[in-house]
Amino acid sequence: MEASLDQLARRLEEVVGELRGVPVDVARLEDGERVRQEITRLVATSRELRAMQPLGSPEQGREEQRSRRQVLDALARGMRMRTVVHASVLDDERKLARLRELHAAGDLHRVVDEPIQQLLVFDREAAFVRITPVLRSPGALLIRQQSLISVLIDLFEQTWDRAREVTEPTARLSPREREVLALIAEGRSNAAVARALSISEAAVGKHVAGVFAKLDLPSGDDVNRRVLAVLAYQRGAAR
């Protein structure tokens, strides 16, 4: 995965190098309302949308309802949509309910655990990224430069391929249990995990037992539950 992302980064550098001295079709939209207007127009006319949402939609109230209605209307007229979301969305019941509704309507969702940046790509003609890659930061770049859009599409497709299905069952671990399991996945012993988290080894043992129970892992002399837990973590079935 790291190698493929490095390749994308190099490709992006190559594209930027090729574009030096060449007029680039990138507009800087500072006004949030202008960004919403441009997105609304493209939602109404485009045939395909690829999206990455780091923490789900920050919209609330009427704005969220309007956005939801626009997406449902676009799906009804045949627009193809795929959306990658960060796993933290699944911890918010309201956002999870909206995700399930849109997924059932045809906006296919997948989930990743690693950080992602917000991205919208309409067809192969226009893309939006935040001016500053920080959640809820104002403004966006509207990109129409085909070479840059191709790189962004490659980034989306590679992220999509390694993401898990949103309908895939997951075990809901506590934040501390996730930390413990992540360190176990690095090959650390309970004592090493305790030192890394500045907690007692007995506390680590309790968290490990909780992970085993929530993952419903079998016990027995011929089963290594630590290995099974790590495998569940790596395929995204434990979060």
Side-chain angles (χ1 to χ4, degrees):
M1 179 180 70
E2 291 181 359
S4 62
L5 292 179
D6 287 343
Q7 291 172 357
L8 279 174
R10 287 196 295 272
R11 176 55 185 151
L12 184 56
E13 289 176 359
E14 292 172 2
V15 170
V16 172
E18 293 168 1
L19 294 174
R20 287 195 180 99
V22 177
V24 177
D25 195 354
V26 177
R28 185 182 178 97
L29 308 180
E30 304 277 0
D31 179 24
E33 182 58 32
R34 171 79 186 284
V35 174
R36 284 189 289 271
Q37 289 173 358
E38 291 289 343
I39 291 175
T40 297
R41 182 179 63 80
L42 286 165
V43 166
T45 59
S46 299
R47 300 177 303 278
E48 183 176 25
L49 170 61
R50 297 172 174 89
M52 293 202 302
Q53 301 288 357
L55 294 172
S57 172
E59 302 158 345
Q60 295 183 356
R62 292 183 180 178
E63 184 60 36
E64 181 178 23
Q65 293 175 9
R66 184 177 69 174
S67 173
R68 168 182 162 276
R69 186 70 262 163
Q70 288 173 345
V71 171
L72 291 173
D73 288 346
L75 290 168
R77 68 171 175 78
M79 187 178 186
R80 299 185 302 277
M81 294 188 190
R82 287 182 293 156
T83 303
V84 177
V85 298
H86 188 263
S88 57
V89 172
L90 306 183
D91 294 325
D92 185 315
E93 291 300 328
R94 182 179 59 82
K95 292 177 181 177
L96 180 57
R98 177 182 174 179
L99 182 154
R100 286 173 173 164
E101 178 188 22
L102 296 178
H103 185 79
D107 179 6
L108 304 182
H109 285 70
R110 287 189 180 181
V111 180
V112 293
D113 295 295
E114 71 267 23
I116 54 176
Q117 294 298 329
Q118 191 156 29
L119 170 68
L120 300 174
V121 182
F122 292 91
D123 296 332
R124 291 180 174 269
E125 299 176 1
F128 291 84
V129 296
R130 292 188 182 278
I131 294 176
T132 304
V134 177
L135 184 66
R136 296 179 177 83
S137 61
L141 298 178
L142 171 54
I143 301 169
R144 294 187 182 277
Q145 187 73 36
Q146 289 300 303
S147 50
L148 292 177
I149 289 177
S150 294
V151 174
L152 294 174
I153 288 176
D154 286 344
L155 173 61
F156 173 87
E157 294 297 345
Q158 292 198 24
T159 304
W160 178 266
D161 287 344
R162 69 175 181 271
R164 68 178 182 272
E165 296 291 341
V166 72
T167 53
E168 186 175 313
T170 59
R172 300 181 71 83
L173 306 182
S174 70
R176 179 62 85 184
E177 287 169 341
R178 289 198 294 269
E179 288 179 326
V180 168
L181 184 52
L183 291 170
I184 290 175
E186 294 177 1
R188 304 197 194 195
S189 65
N190 282 11
V193 172
R195 288 193 297 272
L197 298 178
S198 299
I199 59 177
S200 70
E201 193 169 344
V204 172
K206 291 181 180 179
H207 291 310
V208 171
V211 169
F212 291 167
K214 289 182 179 180
L215 293 180
D216 194 23
L217 298 178
S219 61
D221 294 337
D222 58 345
V223 175
N224 189 323
R225 291 194 290 177
R226 290 176 78 91
V227 172
L228 294 178
V230 168
L231 291 174
Y233 172 79
Q234 290 176 337
R235 70 172 182 267
R239 64 167 190 83

